[in-house]
Amino acid sequence: MIKLAVIGDPIAHSLSPVVHSTVLDELGIEHSYEKLLVTKDELTDFLKKGCKSLAGFSLTMPHKKACMPHLDFIDDDAQLLGSVNTVKVQENKLLGFNTDGNGFLHALKNKGFDCKDKNIVIFGAGGVVSTVALKLAMAGAKQIVILNRTLSSAQTVAENVLEKTGKKIIFDSLTLDNMSEYCKHCDLVVNGTPLGMEGVDANFEDFSFLKSLKSSSLVFDLIYKPSQTKLLNHASSLGLETLNGLGMLIFQGLIADELFLERELDFAYLNKKVEDKLKNL
Ligand code: NAP
């Protein structure tokens, strides 16, 4: 029997139990997987005592950075990304990993997209974009452009990527003119803003920038609820390739499960199983 959990605040919305329980059910592994509401104030106590009966746990907001000083080991990717989303509990020690970045790259690979030498435009400059931009730079992207409402946040992400990888990236404001201009030469557009997400009123006001894209371009919306955002609908109607955020969510979970179980998993098979499960929710 393996005991796992996801911690965060809020936590009710988390799809992690569905992802991990589907995988463990498919593998025939007896398990429990709990959603645990752990507030900022409760984190230290949870890491010192509460988590010790678990084999591992996932972390979401607001704990991804805050947990780091309390861990016994932090792997290279988590050090580089400056956040931990997976902790394995081993012989009373806490080992931290970050599977978000590789989950993102896996989702692209699964779609048949190779980032090497590609021109990429990213909308947003928050937590997920700081991870994605670093991983794209490390995967050999030719040009990365970050467009964000608040220019200073885009600059911060660009400076972090330069410092950690030596890759210079372009940053600018998220205006329709800039979106249209930068999309002209781009192979991949990533939406890393919550524009179009369920429960968020705001959306892109104008989708005409999509017309600047080459017919071979891929539009990747990191949102997974709804699975088909307005952005993806417009892109599909123009004949562009599209991808939603479910793949990233599932692959980061599969990579975490490999760490918890210490074995290689059949990603193609399990991704399909989890996808089917999430579609039927
Ligand atoms: P975050 O840290 O809060 O960053 C949000 C970003 O979106 C900021 O750059 C913000 O710009 C921008 N933004 C917010 N509202 C906007 C608006 N009305 N107009 C223009 N820009 C706006 O959030 P995050 O954690 O990076 O998450 C961003 C999105 O990625 C969410 O939709 C989330 O669901 C998705 N995500 C998906 C996965 C996955 O596994 N598929 C994982 C993580 C996140 P400012 O800097 O100007 O505030």
Side-chain angles (χ1 to χ4, degrees), residues 124-129 148-150 153 174 192-195 197 202 222-224 245 248-249:
V128 74
V129 171
N148 194 46
R149 180 176 62 177
T150 309
S153 307
L174 186 70
T193 76
L195 290 169
M197 189 166 90
L222 299 184
I223 292 170
Y224 48 80
M248 177 175 174
L249 175 81

Side-chain angles (χ1 to χ4, degrees), residues 266-277:
D266 182 342
F267 276 20
Y269 173 78
L270 292 168
N271 174 49
K272 179 85 185 59
K273 288 287 171 193
V274 180
E275 235 178 40
D276 289 348
K277 189 69 163 215

Side-chain angles (χ1 to χ4, degrees), residues 211-273:
K211 292 184 186 150
S212 308
L213 290 166
K214 298 181 280 187
S215 58
S216 58
S217 304
L218 172 63
V219 179
F220 186 176
D221 198 335
L222 299 184
I223 292 170
Y224 48 80
K225 250 185 177 179
S227 56
Q228 190 71 6
T229 56
K230 275 193 185 165
L231 174 68
L232 295 186
N233 272 329
H234 276 85
S236 291
S237 69
L238 292 169
L240 299 163
E241 286 291 322
T242 62
L243 186 60
N244 66 25
L246 266 185
M248 177 175 174
L249 175 81
I250 297 170
F251 285 115
Q252 63 79 23
L254 288 172
I255 299 166
D257 285 334
E258 284 197 329
L259 292 165
F260 295 142
L261 301 171
E262 296 179 0
R263 65 187 256 197
E264 268 187 39
L265 300 178
D266 182 342
F267 276 20
Y269 173 78
L270 292 168
N271 174 49
K272 179 85 185 59
K273 288 287 171 193

Side-chain angles (χ1 to χ4, degrees), residues 9-63:
D9 181 16
I11 199 63
H13 67 287
S14 174
L15 290 176
S16 283
V18 181
V19 173
H20 294 277
S21 289
T22 306
V23 171
L24 294 163
D25 282 342
E26 278 299 322
L27 297 172
I29 295 173
E30 201 189 335
H31 66 277
S32 65
Y33 194 102
E34 283 186 277
K35 275 189 216 180
L36 300 176
L37 176 68
V38 174
T39 64
K40 268 186 189 169
D41 291 344
E42 293 166 342
L43 180 67
T44 309
D45 228 36
F46 174 81
L47 296 173
K48 280 198 178 136
K49 292 183 239 149
C51 70
K52 296 294 169 71
S53 63
L54 300 169
F57 54 97
S58 303
L59 305 93
T60 183
M61 272 186 10
H63 302 317

